[in-house]
Amino acid sequence: MSLFKKREPELINYVKDPPLPWSNRVVVPAAGIIASGWTLTNKVFLFSADGYSVSDPVTGQREIRNYDEDNTAIKKISKDNLEFTIDELHETIKIFGLRGGNGNYLTSDHWNLDSFTPSLGEHIVGIRNYKTRLKKEFYWQEFTLISLVRLEYTTLTYGFSPNEKHFGIFGSAGAEIFTRD
């Protein structure tokens, strides 16, 4: 019997594109994002000190850009930091980031998102289909660890859209959105 525990492989060496059917990747660039979420119609919401935007999750095209010239956007965040009112859409949405809130990590057809921290300061998000998972030696090996194009592997939030056709990984530099066929 060995007195030494088997060393886990470096997670960062295993990142790749998500599995099918998650084939479309859109990068929504931004800077200083402190909150994110989904509108009621499954659009991407990003909030920073410079205002907020709403973008199409399939094309990445920005549909709303509010520069917050009157410095009132922060007042549209609920007291519990979990909701934001988008005046242009006349709707209040759930947000995550800031001081609380998380995205939806599981779809009704068993797609599951989770995150892993291989070392101090690193944050990697993975996806798997919970229904067809295979038991592996290490929990993270049950997931496809997702490679990022724009975002750094640091503090990230993530979640599925309300209709479960998209999932987003959100960081201070914007979002990477994945859509299934």
Side-chain angles (χ1 to χ4, degrees), residues 96-174:
F96 39 102
L98 267 183
R99 292 174 229 130
N102 287 317
N104 176 14
Y105 296 162
L106 184 66
T107 66
S108 56
D109 61 345
H110 308 288
W111 284 99
N112 172 221
L113 295 169
D114 205 343
S115 64
F116 307 91
T117 52
S119 66
L120 189 62
E122 288 182 321
H123 195 190
I124 298 174
V125 176
I127 188 169
R128 70 173 171 176
N129 190 298
Y130 192 79
K131 190 173 184 177
T132 60
R133 76 184 189 283
L134 300 172
K135 186 79 172 146
K136 300 286 185 165
E137 181 178 7
F138 298 108
Y139 176 69
W140 66 265
Q141 291 175 326
E142 296 178 16
F143 290 79
T144 299
L145 304 179
I146 301 168
S147 66
L148 299 174
V149 174
R150 176 174 173 89
L151 303 177
E152 295 178 357
Y153 295 99
T154 58
T155 304
L156 301 168
T157 58
Y158 50 93
F160 291 101
S161 64
N163 69 0
E164 302 178 348
K165 293 183 188 265
H166 317 282
F167 74 86
I169 301 174
F170 305 90
S172 64

Side-chain angles (χ1 to χ4, degrees), residues 12-171:
I12 199 74
N13 296 328
Y14 291 87
V15 298
K16 55 187 172 184
D17 289 337
L20 292 175
W22 304 98
S23 59
N24 186 54
R25 177 196 306 250
V26 170
V27 174
V28 181
I33 299 304
I34 56 174
S36 53
W38 301 96
T39 69
L40 302 177
T41 56
N42 304 290
K43 305 291 180 165
V44 180
F45 171 79
L46 299 174
F47 180 86
S48 74
D50 296 328
Y52 58 90
S53 67
V54 174
S55 301
D56 183 282
V58 176
T59 65
Q61 182 176 352
R62 191 175 292 141
E63 296 179 0
I64 296 172
R65 177 63 173 109
N66 183 314
Y67 288 97
D68 193 27
E69 293 167 351
D70 57 0
N71 293 318
T72 60
I74 197 76
K75 295 176 185 170
K76 297 174 186 183
I77 296 176
S78 64
K79 289 184 188 241
D80 63 4
N81 297 309
L82 300 176
E83 295 180 327
F84 184 86
T85 301
I86 304 172
D87 292 337
E88 295 89 341
L89 299 176
H90 307 289
E91 66 182 55
T92 299
I93 64 167
K94 303 283 185 201
I95 58 172
F96 39 102
L98 267 183
R99 292 174 229 130
N102 287 317
N104 176 14
Y105 296 162
L106 184 66
T107 66
S108 56
D109 61 345
H110 308 288
W111 284 99
N112 172 221
L113 295 169
D114 205 343
S115 64
F116 307 91
T117 52
S119 66
L120 189 62
E122 288 182 321
H123 195 190
I124 298 174
V125 176
I127 188 169
R128 70 173 171 176
N129 190 298
Y130 192 79
K131 190 173 184 177
T132 60
R133 76 184 189 283
L134 300 172
K135 186 79 172 146
K136 300 286 185 165
E137 181 178 7
F138 298 108
Y139 176 69
W140 66 265
Q141 291 175 326
E142 296 178 16
F143 290 79
T144 299
L145 304 179
I146 301 168
S147 66
L148 299 174
V149 174
R150 176 174 173 89
L151 303 177
E152 295 178 357
Y153 295 99
T154 58
T155 304
L156 301 168
T157 58
Y158 50 93
F160 291 101
S161 64
N163 69 0
E164 302 178 348
K165 293 183 188 265
H166 317 282
F167 74 86
I169 301 174
F170 305 90

